């Protein structure tokens, strides 16, 4: 049972464009929503994260938008650059019983063309 | 560099064998998580340890076990290996408090079972 659904599977964007990746969840116990960036042969790197008490968080060119009622959140990458080409994963944590285990989406492979 | 180290980087072994993967968390982090990444299953949580104690279990097979030592490094033991165990295994660490939950991933161990 996939608890976090991520779309699209792949995304091609021109340099300078906006990349948008969407995620949806069902479990209302989730209370922490991070995004990770992974380059080939590397481990996932924490990019930005949000909690459900805010609707938006921005760090540089990266913005998370969060819609608690719709149980959806998205990552926006502004002014996308070829160096942003990587696989992006959304995740959610139920934070139950003192555990912060992450449930991941299937990932989105982003290609930014020069 | 996340500060999380994993050894070895690559491991090639035969079916039926047993291997041990090692992880050293970031300085000061008390929680260690193990994740498996495969093409068909994506990133899956296996198990979490906090300050030497098991805190949460995910989709970890009975053939797999883990422990966290007094110096906080952790080992993941995989036994009776099957072809389907071939995957990337990541360790992540976090402070482990109820407030700070960011997880930082290591570079991973690529396991190939032949």
């Amino acid at each position: 049972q996939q608890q976090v659904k991520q779309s699209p599977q792949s995304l091609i964007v021109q340099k300078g464009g906006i990349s948008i990746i969407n995620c949806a969840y069902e479990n209302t116990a989730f209370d922490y929503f991070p995004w990770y960036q992974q380059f080939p042969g590397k481990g996932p790197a924490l990019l930005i994260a949000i909690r459900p008490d805010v609707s938006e968080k921005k760090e540089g060119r990266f913005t998370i938008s969060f819609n608690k009622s719709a149980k959806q959140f998205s990552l926006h990458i502004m002014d996308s650059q070829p160096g942003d080409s990587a696989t992006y994963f959304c995740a959610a944590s139920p934070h139950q019983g003192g555990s912060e285990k992450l449930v991941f989406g299937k990932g989105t492979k982003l290609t930014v063309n020069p | 560099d996340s500060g999380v180290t994993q050894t070895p980087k690559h491991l090639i072994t035969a079916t039926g064998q047993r291997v041990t993967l090692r992880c050293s968390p970031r300085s000061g982090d008390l929680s260690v998580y193990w994740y498996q990444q495969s093409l068909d299953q994506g990133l899956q949580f296996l198990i979490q340890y906090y300050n030497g104690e098991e805190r949460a279990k995910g989709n970890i097979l009975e053939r797999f076990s883990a422990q966290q030592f007094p110096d906080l490094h952790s080992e993941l033991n995989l036994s009776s290996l099957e072809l389907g165990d071939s995957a990337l295994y990541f360790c992540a660490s976090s402070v482990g408090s109820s407030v700070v939950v960011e997880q930082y991933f290591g570079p991973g161990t690529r396991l190939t079972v032949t």
Side-chain angles (χ1 to χ4, degrees), chain A residues 22 24-25 61 72 111:
Chain A
N22 301 299
Y25 65 97
R61 296 184 294 110
Q72 295 175 347
T111 302

Side-chain angles (χ1 to χ4, degrees), chain A residues 25-111:
Chain A
Y25 65 97
E26 289 295 325
N27 189 345
T28 54
F30 288 150
D31 67 351
Y32 171 70
F33 302 88
W35 284 88
Y36 282 83
Q37 178 191 57
Q38 186 178 28
F39 292 104
K42 304 290 186 183
L46 180 61
L47 204 55
I48 186 173
I50 199 168
R51 289 197 179 272
D53 52 345
V54 297
S55 60
E56 187 175 282
K57 183 174 181 180
K58 184 176 180 179
E59 288 184 4
R61 296 184 294 110
F62 300 92
T63 300
I64 299 179
S65 296
F66 186 83
N67 186 329
K68 188 174 181 178
S69 60
K71 290 184 281 187
Q72 295 175 347
F73 58 110
S74 60
L75 176 70
H76 292 61
I77 305 174
M78 311 299 288
D79 186 28
S80 298
Q81 299 297 312
D84 296 331
S85 297
T87 299
Y88 292 80
F89 294 92
C90 62
S93 174
H95 203 172
Q96 291 170 333
S99 171
E100 300 78 39
K101 65 178 182 181
L102 293 172
V103 178
F104 282 90
K106 292 287 191 183
T108 297
K109 185 174 182 181
L110 172 65
T111 302

Side-chain angles (χ1 to χ4, degrees), chain B residues 12 16 24-25 30 41 43-44 58 73 80-81 91 105 109 113-114:
Chain B
I12 301 175
S24 291
L30 299 179
Q41 295 294 324
L43 269 162
Q44 298 271 317
H73 91 270
S80 303
L81 284 167
C91 165
F105 281 70
T109 293
V113 182
T114 62

